[in-house]
Amino acid sequence: MNLKNFFLPTPANNYRAYLLTNKALSLVVIALFSLNLFIGNITLTKAFALFDGQAVISSHNSERLKLGLPALKENNLLDLSAEAKGEAMLKSNCWSHYCPNGESPWDFFKQVGYVYSYAGENLAEGFNDLPGVMVAWMNSKSHRENILNPNFTQIGVAILIGDYQNIKNNVLVVVHFGTPENSFPDIAKSLQPPNSPQVLTPAVNYFSNKTYPQVSGKYNYPVNISLDGKFLATVSPQAGLFSYTVSSKQENGIHQFSIADVNNKDKTTVVSFTIDTNPPLLNITQFTTHQSGNIYSLNFFPNKSLASTEISINNNKFAGKDNVTSGVSSWTFTLPVELASKGFNIEAVDLAGNKANLVLDSNTIPQILGDKTTSSLTTNFSSAVSSLNILQIISIGIISILIFLLLMDFLIVSKANYDLKTSVRSRSHLHLPAFIILFILVLIGNIHGGI
């Protein structure tokens, strides 16, 4: 038998390829149904086994590490709150941050006794592998902000599987982010009993990039000065003023000066301050943009708290606006498209006075401005292709073959009709192939993830 007759319409097969007969196409439907019924369940179960909470946390911390952010630590209470939220969503078949029945994510935090200063939630469903989820989250502004939020210190993850959103064995992922209440050192706090030494510097909320810190203040009697519990010197005030500069280099971090009356230790003043010599991190992955008419809104997500940000374009300067929404810190710039497209310089200054600059020229600027959409689409397409599961690959392959056969069928039959000046065969048989393609598209749609 000639193989050509299986794929192309010829006089020998009455101008109907054997692979496009109703019998052959019916077998395709049965095979696809069986794949989704049996192999599909195995694939989902395998994905669920590999797609665990530790892998999710590791992937989050990998993204944070790229921006120099501290790693998130798993918290059992957040695991429980994420699990409770997921169970409630499966039970009620609801898809929202505020469900079921309008319950907020914070209600689930409170139910497990997690008292927070900052909190956030990410959701995903329908994904069978972790790379697909992370790509979707990182390409979503709000989800990305949660993952890269410098204010979050802890994380909890729940992965559930069940009949959800009209999909059998659907995978639901719930991630809860948080920072416990009172977990931040209160560097503004100064312990100063009545009539004790008055510290002038370091000041309240003091950050410094000086590694040889200085303390000064007012007092009329000799004082013992200590740093981080280590005695440094005894200083006698001159005209009621004292000052001392540490002679050894200090590391980055929170430090504490203690100034005590030499003759009365009850009169001791304690003040905390922070040494930070690391400049802010600046790279193009920290920016998102939105264009409205001739104006760009450029959002910058720093890896640390900043004192100021500024963009310079020629002789024009644009100050950033500090935004803090739901615990997410970002800076927003409003730039004219005509000026921004030529490139600009971004300067960021942190609370300690460290500066960082990022120069974006006309070759670099498309990556975060006008051409970013095209770049993102290319990246998303590549990521989507690489994360296809076996059912999607098989379905797409069958679609491609059917489309090719239908196209060849149409061209060959049309040419034969033209050459023979008659109709060699009607095209009514094409209804079933069209139905098969639609059926396969539905199958692919059923295993598509959402966030």
Side-chain angles (χ1 to χ4, degrees), residues 89-343:
M89 292 178 70
L90 287 180
K91 184 177 180 179
S92 61
N93 197 37
C94 66
W95 176 246
S96 170
H97 288 291
Y98 291 86
C99 83
N101 303 319
E103 280 190 86
S104 75
W106 330 128
D107 292 329
F108 292 93
F109 284 68
K110 294 174 183 176
Q111 287 174 16
V112 299
Y114 188 88
V115 182
Y116 58 85
S117 297
Y118 297 94
E121 177 184 78
N122 279 355
L123 302 173
E125 62 87 15
F127 293 90
N128 300 330
D129 54 70
L130 183 54
V133 180
M134 292 304 298
V135 167
W137 275 340
M138 292 302 292
N139 286 330
S140 165
K141 181 176 181 293
S142 60
H143 295 82
R144 181 178 184 273
E145 288 175 1
N146 276 339
I147 294 172
L148 302 180
N149 187 343
N151 292 317
F152 291 148
T153 61
Q154 297 179 343
I155 187 173
V157 179
I159 303 171
L160 304 95
I161 189 168
D163 297 344
Y164 179 63
Q165 296 292 295
N166 300 318
I167 301 175
K168 185 178 179 61
N169 292 328
N170 199 357
V171 177
L172 172 64
V173 186
V174 182
V175 178
H176 279 176
F177 305 89
T179 300
E181 190 176 45
N182 299 325
S183 64
F184 292 109
D186 187 1
I187 64 171
K189 184 177 181 180
S190 175
L191 177 62
Q192 185 171 348
N195 302 318
S196 62
Q198 180 184 354
V199 174
L200 300 177
T201 61
V204 173
N205 289 330
Y206 181 70
F207 281 75
S208 174
N209 55 12
K210 309 296 184 183
T211 55
Y212 297 89
Q214 182 185 62
V215 60
S216 64
K218 294 181 178 181
Y219 201 56
N220 294 318
Y221 306 100
V223 292
N224 287 330
I225 298 178
S226 301
L227 178 64
D228 300 331
K230 181 181 179 181
F231 173 76
L232 297 177
T234 298
V235 177
S236 297
Q238 301 294 320
L241 297 175
F242 66 87
S243 178
Y244 181 82
T245 300
V246 178
S247 59
S248 59
K249 186 177 180 179
Q250 302 299 307
E251 301 293 331
N252 285 343
I254 297 175
H255 298 274
Q256 189 177 78
F257 272 123
S258 176
I259 316 300
D261 186 310
V262 171
N263 298 311
N264 188 350
K265 292 184 179 180
D266 291 335
K267 293 183 177 182
T268 300
T269 300
V270 177
V271 61
S272 297
F273 64 99
T274 297
I275 295 177
D276 179 11
T277 60
N278 297 319
L281 186 66
L282 279 178
N283 63 56
I284 61 175
T285 65
Q286 294 169 275
F287 296 87
T288 61
T289 61
H290 172 72
Q291 182 177 351
S292 178
N294 295 323
I295 298 296
Y296 273 126
S297 290
L298 181 66
N299 297 311
F300 168 49
F301 301 92
N303 68 321
K304 63 195 306 188
S305 297
L306 299 179
S308 66
T309 57
E310 184 178 78
I311 284 181
S312 301
I313 307 177
N314 297 328
N315 295 323
N316 301 290
K317 295 186 182 295
F318 301 87
K321 178 184 177 183
D322 188 11
N323 308 300
V324 179
T325 305
S326 300
V328 178
S329 177
S330 66
W331 291 74
T332 301
F333 300 90
T334 302
L335 307 173
V337 172
E338 183 178 357
L339 288 176
S341 59
K342 297 177 182 179

Side-chain angles (χ1 to χ4, degrees), residues 367-386:
Q367 297 183 50
I368 63 171
L369 293 182
D371 294 342
K372 184 177 180 182
T373 301
T374 303
S375 175
S376 296
L377 287 174
T378 303
T379 301
N380 294 349
F381 177 77
S382 300
S383 299
V385 170
S386 64

